[in-house]
Amino acid sequence: MSDPIDLTQLESLPFEKALERLEEVVQLLERGDAPLEQAIQLFDEGMKLAHFCGKKLEWAEQQVEMLVQENGEWTKKPFAVEEDLE
């Protein structure tokens, strides 16, 4: 198990490291053998990590553009997630 992440430095944390720690926190909580106080701290850390990862994914999605050909010309269009199209 790795050490808890310093949540005051969360914004400078790479996405992959945050996701790795989030997965670890989920596994620890799923085992169910953590004392109540530790479980609450893990839950709090996990919620902050989940929020951080969600924000990073939203930002990345906004940065992706697609090149599509319309009327014989290539144009840039924002990336649309399949859920958005329904």
Side-chain angles (χ1 to χ4, degrees):
M1 176 176 116
S2 65
D3 294 329
I5 291 177
D6 181 2
L7 296 175
T8 62
Q9 303 292 322
L10 196 57
E11 290 301 318
S12 63
L13 188 67
F15 173 81
E16 292 78 10
K17 185 98 171 143
L19 185 60
E20 181 181 301
R21 177 61 184 162
L22 177 57
E23 290 171 347
E24 200 172 271
V25 166
V26 169
Q27 289 174 355
L28 290 169
L29 288 171
E30 284 179 341
R31 276 195 296 196
D33 58 357
L36 179 60
E37 291 79 16
Q38 182 185 11
I40 291 170
Q41 289 174 341
L42 287 168
F43 179 80
D44 184 51
E45 180 184 359
M47 291 301 294
K48 289 176 182 172
L49 287 165
H51 180 72
F52 171 77
C53 289
K55 283 186 359 184
K56 285 279 192 176
L57 288 173
E58 285 176 20
W59 174 84
E61 187 177 290
Q62 292 171 356
Q63 302 305 308
V64 175
E65 292 182 328
M66 298 185 308
L67 284 177
V68 291
Q69 191 170 18
E70 292 179 344
N71 301 325
E73 294 184 20
W74 288 98
T75 58
K76 291 181 183 180
K77 295 267 183 171
F79 178 76
V81 179
E82 288 182 19
E83 294 172 356
D84 294 343
L85 299 175
E86 295 175 358

